[in-house]
Amino acid sequence: MPFRLKRVIFFTKGAVPHEAHRYYQERKCKSSKNMSELKNLQPADVFYYFDKICSIPHGSFHTKAISDYCVNVAKENGLRYIQDTSNNVIIFKNGTKGYENSAPVIIQGHLDMVCEKNSDCSIDFEKDGLTLIVEDDIVRADGTTLGADDGIAVAYALAILTSDTIEHPPLEVILTSEEEVGLLGATTLDTSEIRGRIMLNLDSEEEGSFLVGCAGGIRMDCITPMNRMTDMAVRYNVSITGLTGGHSGAEIDKWRANSNQLAGRLLYALDNQCEFWIADIKGGLKDNAIPVQTDMVLYVTSRDCETFEETIRTVESELKHEYSVTDPNLTITFKRGPEEISHMLDTRSSGMVIFLLMNYPGGIQRMSSSIPGLVETSLNLGILYLNEKELHCSFSLRSSVGSSKEALIDKLVFLTEFTGGRCEFSGDYPAWEYREDSPLRDQAVALYREMYGKDCSVNAIHAGLECGIFSNKLPGLDCISYGPDIIDIHTPRERMHISSVKRVYEFTLELLKRLK
């Protein structure tokens, strides 16, 4: 059931179009130098709003402030809006002169960002804005994700909504919450007041590529009970670090290492050589991000310390060779501590952790037989942690074929229940199926060729997009997804090309102009 809407409607124009909410103008946070970095970039209105968005903390499950900011922009410009209890926002704008009776066009993006940072970065994502850096044609954040996925879509939308010169049909701008953690906002959104059946989803990261289909997916939490004991042994802190990581949908085909899966291989190798017990293990922050670090606390019998250390060195050498191309900075470190009495997993539970990490599938499971080069089915063990009584493994599963997704779910359920555990599910979303007849796609492809003198590509993607949910909620929806060049999303290396932002914005304005 959708959440009840709390609705406020404004019909009179308030403050000037580009007057931001005073609260955010007066924020004292690490983003205070952002405006000096972005103020000369073009298009100016787009980067004005992108700067404001980056100054407001807006990680997943912390989207109230950014949602309120978008509502405030609507208020200041006399635009009707809907804000629901999930922090989704819909903003309506009438068509400009000559477009009053045109069919409405939906512009859609999401409000939340993936919050990842370097280990030496002190930012608090719940309190601090981002520190932006401009280098030649690149915008990036200092030590963190940039959130251009999907802050740039929000900036595009607000720039269009607040302009008095852009020609366009009636607009229905849908800005959703919690997209990065299972498309949750789009799932709960009440679309009963949406009239448009043409949608521009601005949540893609490769200029010149129009997406017309995506995989469905689900988050799956596998929880297995563990037993502990108290004994005397030598403590070791072991870490797998330096991995490349990335988006578990868009970059799963790059075969990058998953630190949680590598932890299983390391533990299995150690189990074959010496006697040890697991006290703690944790890795990854998001189910849909390929984890880059896994940390373990292990206890080893004093007689096996030398063998333990040598085995780690051997496994590190083997893994560095295997992943020399995709993860050249892969490192396994260990630090020996004292011999002490500790509360550790007993032998059976330690073995159960190893069994599960070695047998849970990971990565690409099947490639598409109908679309060359497209991943059909995959999964990612994105979050792994051990508490006092349970092992938690959180997976992001994706597939463009429903039965294949269900078969993969069955496999995880079987393994987990076989070891006495249970499975919980959330964020189930449908695939966005390719539409043979798409006037919007055909018009966009022709316009791109006309504007830039070259052909674009039309693709499906293995990552999840909200287009699938909206296609189910809005029968007959004709939709494309596109965006500017954004590299290494969901990692602190994320960066966005300034010139590409400009070109995609100009393309969008021309497309709106022609959708009369």
Side-chain angles (χ1 to χ4, degrees), residues 12 44 51 99 186 198-199 204 217 351 355 411 417 452 464 472 494:
T12 51
D51 173 78
Y99 292 78
I198 299 171
M199 188 169 91
S204 295
F355 172 82
K411 181 178 289 189
E417 292 184 348
Y452 301 114
N472 278 6
E494 182 182 358

Side-chain angles (χ1 to χ4, degrees), residues 402-433:
S403 59
S404 182
K405 185 177 80 171
E406 292 302 318
L408 190 53
I409 290 171
D410 290 343
K411 181 178 289 189
L412 292 184
V413 168
F414 181 70
L415 278 168
T416 304
E417 292 184 348
F418 183 78
T419 57
R422 69 187 190 279
C423 296
E424 299 174 354
F425 306 90
S426 61
D428 193 2
Y429 58 92
W432 172 27
E433 296 186 6

Side-chain angles (χ1 to χ4, degrees), residues 112 235 302 304 306 445 452 482:
D112 62 320
R235 176 189 175 109
S302 56
D304 283 335
E306 185 176 341
V445 168
Y452 301 114
Y482 64 95

Side-chain angles (χ1 to χ4, degrees), residues 128-360:
D128 301 329
L130 307 178
T131 299
L132 303 185
I133 297 173
V134 175
E135 297 173 335
D136 297 324
D137 191 42
I138 293 293
V139 175
R140 65 177 179 87
D142 187 11
T144 70
T145 42
L146 177 62
D149 174 19
D150 195 22
I152 193 59
V154 182
Y156 279 150
L158 296 181
I160 293 169
L161 286 170
T162 56
S163 172
D164 293 327
T165 60
I166 295 171
E167 297 178 75
H168 59 75
L171 298 178
E172 299 171 333
V173 171
I174 301 177
L175 304 174
T176 54
S177 63
E178 280 59 81
E179 188 270 354
E180 298 290 4
V181 287
L183 315 184
L184 303 183
T187 301
T188 63
L189 183 68
D190 181 351
T191 58
S192 59
E193 293 201 27
I194 298 297
R195 299 289 177 262
R197 291 300 183 269
I198 299 171
M199 188 169 91
L200 310 180
N201 170 278
L202 302 177
D203 189 19
S204 295
E205 298 84 34
E206 184 181 353
E207 182 187 350
S209 173
F210 294 101
L211 300 182
V212 294
C214 73
I218 193 169
R219 171 172 169 149
M220 191 167 174
D221 292 285
C222 302
I223 304 163
T224 305
M226 297 280 128
N227 296 315
R228 290 185 179 263
M229 67 178 191
T230 301
D231 207 342
M232 174 77 75
V234 179
R235 176 189 175 109
Y236 277 90
N237 290 75
V238 181
S239 295
I240 301 173
T241 61
L243 276 61
T244 304
H247 189 282
S248 69
E251 295 172 307
I252 199 72
D253 61 340
K254 294 178 174 58
W255 300 99
R256 294 171 180 171
N258 178 312
S259 62
N260 292 333
Q261 289 182 289
L262 297 190
R265 287 183 58 177
L266 175 61
L267 292 172
Y268 181 77
L270 291 168
D271 194 47
N272 282 333
Q273 299 296 324
C274 56
E275 189 174 11
F276 74 97
W277 301 269
I278 301 169
D280 192 23
I281 184 169
K282 58 183 178 181
L285 299 173
K286 307 287 183 182
D287 66 290
N288 63 352
I290 302 170
V292 299
Q293 179 169 335
T294 301
D295 301 306
M296 295 169 277
V297 177
L298 308 177
Y299 281 88
V300 185
T301 58
S302 56
R303 67 178 180 275
D304 283 335
C305 287
E306 185 176 341
T307 301
F308 179 87
E309 295 179 7
E310 184 57 35
T311 302
I312 290 179
R313 295 188 187 97
T314 299
V315 172
E316 181 192 34
S317 177
E318 293 172 349
L319 294 177
K320 286 176 77 69
H321 175 70
E322 286 184 36
Y323 293 97
S324 61
V325 175
T326 61
D327 299 83
N329 298 316
L330 186 158
T331 304
I332 304 179
T333 59
F334 60 87
K335 182 178 180 180
R336 180 173 175 170
E339 187 171 17
E340 60 187 19
I341 296 175
S342 180
H343 198 48
M344 61 191 77
L345 296 186
D346 63 21
T347 299
R348 182 181 182 279
S349 291
S350 290
M352 198 73 71
V353 173
I354 299 169
F355 172 82
L356 289 171
L357 294 182
M358 282 294 289
N359 284 280
Y360 277 142

Side-chain angles (χ1 to χ4, degrees), residues 360-411:
Y360 277 142
I364 296 174
Q365 302 298 297
R366 182 172 176 176
M367 299 296 291
S368 172
S369 56
S370 57
I371 303 178
L374 177 67
V375 178
E376 177 198 283
T377 305
S378 77
L379 77 166
N380 176 65
L381 175 51
I383 304 173
L384 169 68
Y385 69 91
L386 180 66
N387 62 22
E388 184 66 20
K389 295 182 178 181
E390 295 173 324
L391 177 73
H392 288 247
C393 299
S394 298
F395 294 88
S396 176
L397 282 72
R398 305 173 193 269
S399 183
S400 55
V401 177
S403 59
S404 182
K405 185 177 80 171
E406 292 302 318
L408 190 53
I409 290 171
D410 290 343
K411 181 178 289 189

